[in-house]
Amino acid sequence: MKIAIEGCAHGELERIYETIEGIEKERNIKIDLLLCCGDFQSTRNLTDLQTMAVPRKYMDMCSFYKYYSGELVAPILTIFIGGNHEASNYLQELPYGGWVAPNIYYLGYAGVVTVNGIRIAGISGIYKGHDFLRGHHEFPPYSDKTCRSVYHVRQLEVFRLRQLSGKVDIFMSHDWPRGIQEYGNKAQLLRFKPHFKDDVESGQLGSRPLEELLKAVQPTYWFAAHLHCKFAALVPHPHEKKSKSLDANDSSSSSSSDSESESEQKEPELAAPAAPMPVTKFLALDKCLPKRRFLQVLDMPSSESADGKLTLQYDAEWLSILRTTNHLISVKDNNYYLPGKKAGSIEERSNFTPTAEELAHICSKFENLKVPENFTRTVPSFDPEEEHNYKQMHIEPPQAQLNPQCNEFCSLLGIDDPLCLAMLANGKDLPQTPSNLLNSSTDVKPPTKSPIKQSVDESLVFDESLTTPTKRKLNLLLPAPTAVAGATEPDKNVIDLPDEEAEELAVPPAVVVDVAEMETNPKKTLIDPSTSLKKLKRRNQSIYQADDNDD
Ligand code: 5GP
Ligand code: MN
């Protein structure tokens, strides 16, 4: 399966698909899947635009709204995570992921799915230490503060991802794992981005929890964005990946592999050849701008589906983790602690890697684990004819909305929507689901443009059958207090990065890489197809320059 990876999309969806089409034509290949590593900007209309954390003059509708309205249809399955420039109100409607438009799937605060057997995990947002231990307390309308904190990574998502035990093929994040520069061509990176020097030297470039996740999850590939440059690295994992069984017999197994004793090496069970050390191939890409290295194509082995279409499925292990950690959700604007090994005398589960029974429960609830194609348009989309003068218009910030997709998912899995919890905890009434409003109000009108007559027609019209009353059965009225001292404070140890492990990689702008080739010859320079690609508008080039450092 050919997978295109995009760095920061910055709302340039139409351009990205054009670029992919250009590569397909030039190479005579078919690209099956697009992965976008944040700053996606899924703004449906001007109201959404008010929630995007950029200076007002840089608020641009770009092209996502066309895919929301049905004017255009995403030509390939597109999966994305959030960054620090997003339609935060819309993404908050889908905390566990969902369709933001036909064929465009958001992974949620964190999420794991499989596409034709390829297991893809991801986490949205960027790391800011001062918000990491807080609950998901934000909801629209945002204040100046919550409009930024809403996209800051929280410990719960990191904790949940750490519970994964099976092999992860691809991991997506917006910012980089801390210390990653030590595993690639650091000198070249610093020549290109000299202002990273201080952060590199003080060990502050990148995200600390992502460093922890990289070591714990050990995915085959890790893709990231945010730092606006292309950078590749190979990260070896000398320490075995944690698994449930290892945790169970930690004390007996931990020292055997370190032993150099002759007599021990002669033991038959130790004579077996050691498995090759696992390695993560890390690749960060630039933002979508002309002549920038924003796209890469990989060819990965995958399972075939009978009808030739891609199969997007939930991950049973992940769903189980969401379910069994539901009580750990906090919506408070203060630090709290998650259960850890140091829980002491308090008997509290700290390992949520699912048991066989828990997995069986998930499979009984989610037939085939197939992600339902249940996209529903719930707000009017941007109208460029009526609203062309939008930068001068005054637009009210949005109120919170609930999304029928999230409602369905939470009911089936028996978990809570953190957005509902945050509103309830703050004494707010829950809004009606938009599908309800369709019958009773003119607030939501059908798209102004007629949808393209294509296979997705059905999902582009409002589904009147979805007018179920907004009944939220909350599984958790308020988060259970978990005042366990010294639980899972993020690891403060700086990663040990021996120089000899560093790999120098010269990577060209947009390339097709065969997986086997990358493994055996990581330094191989591949052909640059950018010469044939359509020129991108320079509209976004200056965007964010004034706001380069997020907060
Ligand atoms: P944005 O998310 O606003 O599109 O872009 C992020 C910008 O902040 C990029 O230009 C990136 O280089 C810069 N940036 C992000 N994180 C760091 C960091 O940890 N250190 C430094 N020096 N720059 C950063
Ligand atoms: Mn960013």
Side-chain angles (χ1 to χ4, degrees):
M1 183 161 84
K2 304 238 177 358
I3 306 176
I5 326 294
E6 161 68 38
C8 305
H10 283 302
E12 295 289 4
L13 211 42
E14 202 172 347
R15 307 288 161 188
I16 293 165
Y17 292 135
E18 282 173 8
T19 306
I20 288 175
E21 204 187 320
I23 295 173
E24 286 182 324
K25 282 197 182 131
E26 178 161 305
R27 298 303 184 83
N28 196 24
I29 56 170
K30 171 85 189 81
I31 292 172
D32 307 287
L33 172 68
L34 170 66
L35 303 179
C36 293
C37 298
D39 287 349
F40 190 79
Q41 300 185 193
S42 55
T43 45
R44 301 164 291 186
N45 55 30
L46 295 178
T47 312
D48 285 355
L49 197 56
Q50 311 311 307
T51 70
M52 200 167 79
V54 288
R56 198 172 165 75
K57 62 181 172 177
Y58 297 132
M59 284 182 176
D60 202 313
M61 276 308 293
C62 296
S63 56
F64 172 79
Y65 75 91
K66 297 180 187 174
Y67 298 88
Y68 185 76
S69 71
E71 179 188 340
L72 293 174
V73 179
I76 54 175
L77 174 62
T78 301
I79 297 177
F80 76 99
I81 51 163
N84 55 316
H85 301 297
E86 302 296 350
S88 298
N89 62 323
Y90 191 18
L91 297 192
Q92 270 214 294
E93 289 180 24
L94 299 166
Y96 302 113
W99 301 104
V100 295
N103 229 11
I104 305 181
Y105 190 81
Y106 167 56
L107 269 188
Y109 283 129
V112 186
V113 292
T114 64
V115 180
N116 284 30
I118 296 178
R119 194 177 194 207
I120 302 169
I123 185 163
S124 294
I126 58 169
Y127 173 68
K128 293 286 168 188
H130 54 87
D131 283 325
F132 184 61
L133 298 175
R134 293 176 202 272
H136 286 288
H137 60 90
E138 301 87 352
F139 56 89
Y142 303 116
S143 66
D144 287 349
K145 199 168 167 218
T146 59
C147 122
R148 290 183 180 276
S149 67
V150 67
Y151 55 74
H152 292 162
V153 169
R154 302 297 149 89
Q155 59 171 343
L156 178 61
E157 279 68 42
V158 175
F159 179 86
R160 284 172 160 169
L161 285 164
R162 285 196 63 139
Q163 310 300 319
L164 293 171
S165 73
K167 182 73 194 155
V168 171
D169 299 304
I170 293 176
F171 197 101
M172 298 162 68
S173 67
H174 187 58
D175 44 5
W176 298 10
R178 184 177 66 170
I180 194 73
Q181 73 281 347
E182 304 297 330
Y183 297 90
N185 191 337
K186 183 164 83 172
Q188 191 186 59
L189 174 69
L190 288 176
R191 270 196 304 279
F192 187 57
K193 295 275 185 187
H195 62 286
F196 288 172
K197 189 163 174 282
D198 289 350
D199 282 353
V200 165
E201 281 171 5
S202 61
Q204 286 179 34
L205 190 77
S207 153
R208 191 170 59 182
L210 290 183
E211 175 190 18
E212 186 192 317
L213 274 175
L214 172 61
K215 285 196 232 169
V217 179
Q218 303 185 1
T220 309
Y221 285 94
W222 185 302
F223 301 122
H226 191 49
L227 297 195
H228 297 171
C229 62
K230 186 161 189 168
F231 179 75
L234 287 180
V235 186
H237 298 292
H239 302 292
E240 208 170 328
K241 184 176 167 172
K242 271 193 197 151
S243 71
K244 233 166 111 62
S245 54
L246 263 183
D247 276 346
N249 55 19
D250 254 346
S251 54
S252 59
S253 67
S254 59
S255 61
S256 59
S257 58
D258 296 338
S259 172
E260 305 243 319
S261 123
E262 277 283 304
S263 60
E264 277 193 345
Q265 282 179 10
K266 281 177 193 154
E267 292 285 321
E269 62 270 29
L270 293 177
M277 190 187 291
V279 172
T280 295
K281 283 164 272 188
F282 173 85
L283 182 66
L285 291 158
D286 207 336
K287 60 177 164 181
C288 179
L289 282 177
K291 298 193 173 147
R292 300 284 282 265
R293 299 168 169 191
F294 61 87
L295 203 67
Q296 172 107 16
V297 181
L298 295 181
D299 198 357
M300 290 190 74
S302 63
S303 57
E304 294 277 311
S305 41
D307 55 3
K309 282 170 75 181
L310 292 187
T311 312
L312 178 67
Q313 287 174 297
Y314 292 120
D315 183 88
E317 203 179 27
W318 179 249
L319 294 189
S320 173
I321 293 163
L322 288 181
R323 178 172 161 263
T324 54
T325 58
N326 186 56
H327 64 292
L328 299 177
I329 297 174
S330 165
V331 291
K332 289 188 183 162
D333 184 12
N334 54 22
N335 293 355
Y336 75 112
Y337 293 96
L338 292 172
K341 281 186 179 167
K342 294 179 195 154
S345 58
I346 300 173
E347 281 188 23
E348 187 178 13
R349 181 176 179 181
S350 63
N351 182 347
F352 295 91
T353 303
T355 62
E357 294 78 49
E358 285 168 346
L359 284 179
H361 174 83
I362 295 298
C363 295
S364 72
K365 293 263 175 193
F366 288 80
E367 201 188 340
N368 303 327
L369 292 169
K370 201 170 177 314
V371 174
E373 291 187 16
N374 56 357
F375 167 73
T376 319
R377 194 178 299 103
T378 51
V379 297
S381 44
F382 174 61
D383 183 342
E385 278 156 32
E386 278 187 24
E387 300 169 313
H388 62 275
N389 198 23
Y390 66 88
K391 292 206 174 179
Q392 274 72 53
M393 289 163 71
H394 172 77
I395 316 284
E396 285 295 315
Q399 298 295 317
Q401 275 212 357
L402 303 180
N403 195 295
Q405 289 180 63
C406 182
N407 208 355
E408 197 180 310
F409 181 84
C410 289
S411 309
L412 195 53
L413 193 55
I415 61 172
D416 294 303
D417 176 350
L419 181 59
C420 291
L421 294 180
M423 295 188 73
L424 289 174
N426 283 279
K428 307 285 178 198
D429 291 335
L430 293 184
Q432 288 182 297
T433 51
S435 50
N436 226 10
L437 291 174
L438 292 178
N439 280 350
S440 59
S441 148
T442 53
D443 283 354
V444 179
K445 61 178 166 43
T448 46
K449 291 193 164 68
S450 53
I452 292 172
K453 287 259 172 288
Q454 291 212 0
S455 55
V456 286
D457 264 2
E458 268 178 30
S459 56
L460 291 176
V461 294
F462 288 108
D463 183 353
E464 303 266 329
S465 69
L466 276 171
T467 54
T468 47
T470 313
K471 272 198 190 144
R472 287 266 165 171
K473 179 177 155 279
L474 290 173
N475 299 288
L476 177 77
L477 282 175
L478 281 175
T482 51
V484 183
T488 51
E489 280 272 337
D491 184 3
K492 290 197 175 71
N493 294 336
V494 178
I495 191 169
D496 183 26
L497 305 165
D499 274 353
E500 59 271 24
E501 302 282 9
E503 272 284 342
E504 289 199 354
L505 295 179
V507 192
V511 295
V512 175
V513 181
D514 178 80
V515 174
E517 193 172 50
M518 194 161 168
E519 271 161 8
T520 51
N521 188 4
K523 292 187 187 183
K524 181 171 177 180
T525 303
L526 294 137
I527 309 150
D528 173 10
S530 60
T531 44
S532 68
L533 305 180
K534 291 192 183 181
K535 291 275 172 275
L536 302 179
K537 267 193 203 164
R538 301 187 76 85
R539 178 178 59 195
N540 259 6
Q541 198 149 28
S542 60
I543 294 182
Y544 314 114
Q545 280 171 356
D547 186 41
D548 248 10
N549 278 314
D550 162 54
D551 284 353

